[in-house]
Amino acid sequence: MTEAFLYFLWQFQYFDHTALITTEGETVQVLHPGFRNPNAGPDFLNARLLINDVEWAGNVEAHTRASDWVAHRHGYDRAYDNVILHLVWTDDRPALDPLRPMTSRPTRSDGSLLPTLELQARTAPDLLSRYNALTAAPDQIPCAGQFRAVEPLRITSMLDKALLQRLERKAADVRAMYETTQDWEETVYRLLAMNFGFKINTDPMAQLSRAVPLKTLLKHRNSIRQVEAMLFGCSGLLDEVAQPDGYVDELRREYRFLGAKFGLIDNQLPPHVWKWGRLRPANFPTLRLAQFARLVSNHGSLFSLFVGIDDAPAILKKLQVTPSEYWADHYRFGVATNKAAPVLGMASATNILINTVAPLLAAYAHHRDRSEYMDRAIGLLEQLPAEKNTITDHWETLGLGIRTAFDSQASIELFNAFCTPKKCLSCQIGASLVGAR
Ligand code: SF4
C-alpha cells in the first residue's frame, strides 16, 4: 500500500460511499474531492465536503496510517490549518489515553480536531490486487502484458499529456537561460551551441558560447575565417595541433588579434575539455565547430530563422550548412582525408529542430503569452520523422505506432517520467487498468 494508491482512490472516488462516516462518527458526503497538489503542503486542495450536513471547503491530507499526522508534526504546521479531512488507509492509533486524550488525535495548529476517514474496509480487494500486480511487474514498461487491451483513445490522450509535459520542462530550461541573457538572440545562440555538442560535447560547447558572445561574432560575420578563428581559438583546440598547416596558421594569426581585441583569451578553454573517444569522425568537435561557425555567419538573426519560419523543411534546409572549404577533406586539423562528409546531415538538422527549436517556440509562447507559438512547436514535431532508439523500440514491440517526432518525444517522456519510476496511477493508461471494473 502506498500513498499514491490512496491519492488514486480519493481522486477517482474508487471506494464504497455507503453510510460514509469518519472514525469519530460524523457523516461525510463528498461534493468535490479537490485537486491533486503537486507541491509541498496538503495532498488535495479546494475540496468540498458535507460533514454532519455542514458544508466545508478546504484541503485533504492523505496518509497510509493515521498516526502519520502526528509523526509528521502537521499539527504544528500552519500550512495544514485548512485541512478539512484526514484521509487514511488504516487507523492505527492506540486507544485513547484518558489522561492525555489529544496526543494521538489529528489536530490543527489551533488545537481543533480533524475528522479522519478510513478507506481500507471500503476498497474493493481486486482494485488493490490489480494495482499490486501492475507495479510489481518486472517489465521495463510494467503494463506491457496488458497494453494491447487499453483503449486507443486513452493512449493517445496520455501521449498528448506526456508530450506537453516534455515541452514545458524543456521550455523552462530555455526560459532560465533567457533570464541570464535577457536577449533572445544570445539565448538561441547558446542553445544551438549546446545542441551542436550532440550530447558528448554539450558542456564544452556551452562554455564556449559563454566565452565568445554572439554579438562579438556578428561584428565579423562577413568573414567566415574570422568567425572560425574566434571560435576555434577560444575553444583551445588550436593549441594542440601537432602538424599545423596554412589554415591553422591563419586561424592562429587572426585569433591573436581578435582574441586580444575582444578579451577572449582570458576565457579560453583548455583543449582537454573536448571529448573525442568513441566519436565517429562526422561528430568530431572540430567539424561540428566548423559547421556551427558557418551557421552563425550565414544568419544575422538565428532567432528569426527559428521563430520566423513556420515550415520544417525550410528550416531543415537552412540548417544543412557546408563549412569552409578546408573541411571538405579534413575532420580535424592537419590530417587530410578523402572520406570527409562536411555537410551537417539531415539527422543532425532534425535533432536541432526537436531539441532546440521546438523548446524555444514553447518558451517563447510563455514569454509572449501567445499559445500559437506552442501550437507551432507541436506542429513542427508532427512534421518531423520519429527518432529511433531503444525506448521507441520497446513501444513498437507493444504495437504503438511511432511515426513522427511528436510520437517519439511523447513516448520517451512517458517511459522516462512515468513507466520507469512506476507512476502508473498518474498515467491515464495505468489508471484505466487499475480502475477497470
Ligand atoms: S506508466 Fe502508464 S504506460 Fe507506463 S507502465 Fe505504467 S501504466 Fe503503462
Side-chain angles (χ1 to χ4, degrees), residues 4 8 12 130-131 133-137 140-144 158 161 414 417-434:
F8 169 75
F12 296 101
R130 283 197 295 270
Y131 168 65
L134 181 59
T135 51
Q140 282 186 295
I141 298 174
C143 71
M158 188 57 207
K161 175 180 164 180
L414 178 56
F418 293 87
C419 307
T420 303
K422 297 202 173 185
K423 288 190 176 169
C424 296
L425 293 177
S426 302
C427 161
Q428 291 165 32
I429 297 164
S432 74
L433 289 171
V434 174

